Amino acid sequence: MRILIKGAGDLATGIGWRLHRAGYEIWMTDIAVPTAVRRSVSFSRAVYEGVAEVEGVHARLAQTEDDGHRIAESGEIPVFVDPEAKIIRSLKPDVVVDAIIAKKNIGTKITDAPLVIGVGPGFTAGVDCHRVVETKRGHYLGRVIESGSAIPNTGIPGNVGGYTVERIIRAGEEGIFVPKVSIGDRVEAGQVVAISGSTPVQAQITGIVRGLLQEGVRVTQGMKAGDIDARCEKAHCFTISDKARAIGGGVLEAVCGWEHGK
């Protein structure tokens, strides 16, 4: 079975990694300038670095559909710059997974593939997709929804290490983003971790930088640009998160259930 995943950020990567490990052929799409802050565990990194490796699985930038077939046949995941996922029309995948995590549906249709899965808020199973997978941290994380929608977006980040909004690094001004620390670095509350435009961006808490945008990205004021983890486990910066694994498990359940039912 061939599965196309829209998006290649950290949650989409957790999904792609788990499906790939289960033996499915995975293709992914993303935008020309990816904005995944947890880029050390995002296959979107292949867009600007050419290749990306996450926990032993490799992804590679593909320019054409023929490139994609060669990459997939070699056991890697092809990643395309294709914001609208136009490749669906010619590829005709068995499954389409919308893992852009835009908190709304920005173009996915239930007719895109025999099985269409929407990840997170913005989708309704039976209307614009066949299945929805819950992304909100807590009791229902990873749950497969066969009728209805995921829990609406609250706008409040999930609790990690005892912090919610405080752990997020946000751009202070519109402009070019320039990091002053690296993923995996320990920082102190009040420390300058980046410059956005001409404005210094300070850490709100002490911890380890778990995610940070790459240099040169144009940001808008208030845009999420990084993440600090107060638990200070450096290995967490370079491995798939519990949340991504749970969501990946939900998508795998939906795919396997559909495959066996078919």
Side-chain angles (χ1 to χ4, degrees):
M1 285 179 60
R2 181 172 295 147
I3 301 174
L4 183 132
I5 301 174
K6 297 170 67 174
D10 65 301
L11 297 184
T13 295
I15 294 167
W17 183 92
R18 182 152 252 182
L19 292 171
H20 177 86
R21 295 268 293 176
Y24 296 103
E25 182 181 301
I26 308 303
W27 295 48
M28 304 181 83
T29 63
D30 212 306
I31 58 178
V33 183
T35 55
V37 299
R38 293 211 64 219
R39 53 192 169 88
S40 59
V41 288
S42 296
F43 288 137
S44 62
R45 202 169 70 251
V47 171
Y48 51 90
E49 293 185 1
V51 294
E53 182 270 328
V54 177
E55 293 194 34
V57 175
H58 292 78
R60 189 174 300 273
L61 180 64
Q63 302 292 346
T64 67
E65 193 168 324
D66 285 343
D67 283 346
H69 286 292
R70 284 192 292 270
I71 292 167
E73 287 168 6
S74 75
E76 297 181 332
I77 296 175
V79 179
F80 292 81
V81 175
D82 185 3
E84 297 176 1
K86 293 179 180 179
I87 197 172
I88 289 173
R89 301 169 193 168
S90 57
L91 187 64
K92 295 181 171 58
D94 299 291
V95 181
V96 167
V97 180
D98 188 328
I100 296 172
I101 319 296
K103 316 298 186 184
K104 59 183 180 180
N105 186 346
I106 56 176
T108 293
K109 302 183 294 296
I110 198 169
T111 54
D112 284 340
L115 175 64
V116 178
I117 301 170
V119 180
F123 303 97
T124 302
V127 177
D128 51 10
C129 62
H130 299 96
R131 300 287 186 271
V132 174
V133 175
E134 182 59 65
T135 58
K136 182 175 173 57
R137 289 184 185 272
H139 186 77
Y140 295 109
L141 177 63
R143 177 188 180 205
V144 178
I145 301 166
E146 299 184 0
S147 178
S149 306
I151 298 169
N153 179 36
T154 63
I156 300 173
N159 189 311
V160 175
Y163 294 95
T164 57
V165 294
E166 304 93 339
R167 66 181 176 85
I168 304 300
I169 298 169
R170 296 194 181 277
E173 179 186 356
E174 182 176 356
I176 300 301
F177 187 78
V178 180
K180 293 299 182 182
V181 294
S182 300
I183 294 174
D185 286 353
R186 180 184 172 89
V187 297
E188 302 295 326
Q191 180 178 340
V192 173
V193 295
I195 305 292
S196 63
S198 58
T199 301
V201 179
Q202 297 178 329
Q204 296 186 62
I205 62 172
T206 295
I208 281 182
V209 179
R210 191 172 70 142
L212 198 65
L213 287 177
Q214 67 272 26
E215 185 170 356
V217 175
R218 176 166 286 278
V219 295
T220 56
Q221 186 176 8
M223 177 177 167
K224 183 178 178 179
D227 180 16
I228 296 174
D229 191 339
R231 297 172 298 183
C232 294
E233 292 284 349
K234 190 169 184 176
H236 291 181
C237 303
F238 305 102
T239 50
I240 297 167
S241 70
D242 54 346
K243 180 176 181 178
R245 290 183 200 276
I247 294 168
V251 174
L252 178 59
E253 175 193 328
V255 170
C256 289
W258 174 79
E259 183 180 17
H260 289 298
K262 187 181 71 167

